[in-house]
Amino acid sequence: MSTAVYGHTPGESLECMSLAIELRKEEHIDPHTRKVVLRVGFKLGGGIDQDPARAPYQYPDNGIYVTYIEPDSPADRAGLRRHDKILRVNGNDFTMVTHDRAVKFIKRDAILNMLVHRWGLPEIR
């Protein structure tokens, strides 16, 4: 299992095009519990504890990726897209994190200041 992220070694600097996204969660009533929860509207895949060969999408590394965006959700309105690679959330490094830890960071705060890498952006020259 490779720990390389876009062909670089963990701990070394990485130069890539990234986007800053501010996602404000919204209150939503959980239909099962009838309790108010904060909703983000996206699902995650990946993590350093996951086997990328068994994932439904073949990402090049063990990073944290957005695998689903709910239409008209906070994530959709903030500009997050399926297959975005999450690099940071509220100052926390997401390049070398387990799946469960990433989920806990996402659930923790009402506002997510995210840095993501999006496939297809022009390379830095």
Side-chain angles (χ1 to χ4, degrees):
M1 182 165 32
S2 171
T3 58
V5 180
Y6 299 111
H8 95 289
T9 304
E12 292 183 6
S13 64
L14 169 66
E15 191 171 316
C16 70
M17 239 354 204
S18 57
L19 299 170
I21 292 179
E22 181 181 87
L23 190 155
R24 294 178 176 270
K25 297 178 185 177
E26 64 185 24
E27 289 187 353
H28 174 75
I29 297 176
D30 184 307
H32 303 292
T33 65
R34 300 281 187 222
K35 292 184 179 183
V36 175
V37 295
L38 292 176
R39 176 174 89 104
V40 294
F42 70 94
K43 293 182 181 179
L44 298 177
I48 60 172
D49 58 335
Q50 306 294 309
D51 181 359
R54 296 183 59 187
Y57 302 106
Q58 297 303 308
Y59 296 119
D61 55 49
N62 291 16
I64 299 294
Y65 289 87
V66 176
T67 58
Y68 173 79
I69 300 286
E70 183 180 327
D72 198 34
S73 66
D76 188 26
R77 289 189 297 276
L80 204 59
R81 298 290 173 254
R82 189 172 75 164
H83 306 307
D84 280 350
K85 179 176 183 169
I86 302 176
L87 303 173
R88 294 183 85 69
V89 175
N90 293 346
N92 297 291
D93 180 14
F94 265 47
T95 61
M96 294 294 294
V97 67
T98 65
H99 182 87
D100 288 341
R101 188 153 175 93
V103 170
K104 287 177 185 172
F105 278 123
I106 296 292
K107 287 183 175 182
R108 189 168 64 186
D109 298 311
I111 298 173
L112 304 177
N113 290 298
M114 306 172 76
L115 188 62
V116 302
H117 175 273
R118 180 164 297 154
W119 297 99
L121 287 179
E123 291 184 23
I124 297 173
R125 298 198 188 270

